Amino acid sequence: TIDFLSKKEKQTLLSGMNDTATDYPEGGIAATFEAQVELTPNKTAVVFSAGSLTTVTSITYRELNEQANRLAHYLQDQYKIEPETLIGFKLNRSDKIIVTLLGIL
């Protein structure tokens, strides 16, 4: 029941810092990603470490895009997945999570 923050501080925390709404470019995340692939195809897009520095995996934007597109086409061909279809997936922590998210998008 004790207020530790002033009304102004509460307002800043609740409204100011939480105002994270943003306009995404037309086409959303997938289109934004595709544009980045065009700009920097050979730059590193994802770096994943399974907990030790000896097993670090990195993927370029081009490789990530190719893998995601391969998955998207597989889902469309094998399961007749269409736009706006909800898809659930379960994966262990790996770089494949990003591939799967982009493939679904």
Side-chain angles (χ1 to χ4, degrees):
T1 60
I2 299 172
D3 284 333
F4 292 102
L5 302 173
S6 69
K7 287 184 180 183
K8 184 177 178 183
E9 289 171 320
K10 279 184 191 177
Q11 185 65 28
T12 298
L13 287 172
L14 296 175
S15 298
M17 293 181 154
N18 264 341
D19 187 12
T20 58
T22 187
D23 292 327
Y24 289 97
E26 189 173 323
I29 294 170
T32 302
F33 175 73
E34 291 280 346
Q36 188 64 43
V37 172
E38 290 295 319
L39 288 173
T40 59
N42 297 317
K43 294 272 185 178
T44 301
V46 175
V47 176
F48 177 78
S49 172
S52 75
L53 295 177
T54 58
T55 56
V56 175
T57 304
S58 66
I59 304 172
T60 66
Y61 280 99
R62 177 181 293 135
E63 293 167 332
L64 180 56
N65 191 44
E66 289 170 355
Q67 291 178 30
N69 283 335
R70 213 172 12 256
L71 175 61
H73 290 287
Y74 175 81
L75 292 172
Q76 291 169 346
D77 294 343
Q78 294 296 313
Y79 299 102
K80 308 301 180 217
I81 301 294
E82 297 179 7
E84 304 300 320
T85 301
L86 294 177
I87 299 173
F89 66 93
K90 179 182 181 259
L91 294 171
N92 292 328
R93 289 183 79 156
S94 75
D95 54 323
K96 300 304 179 207
I97 291 174
I98 303 299
V99 171
T100 303
L101 287 172
L102 287 169
I104 289 170
L105 289 172

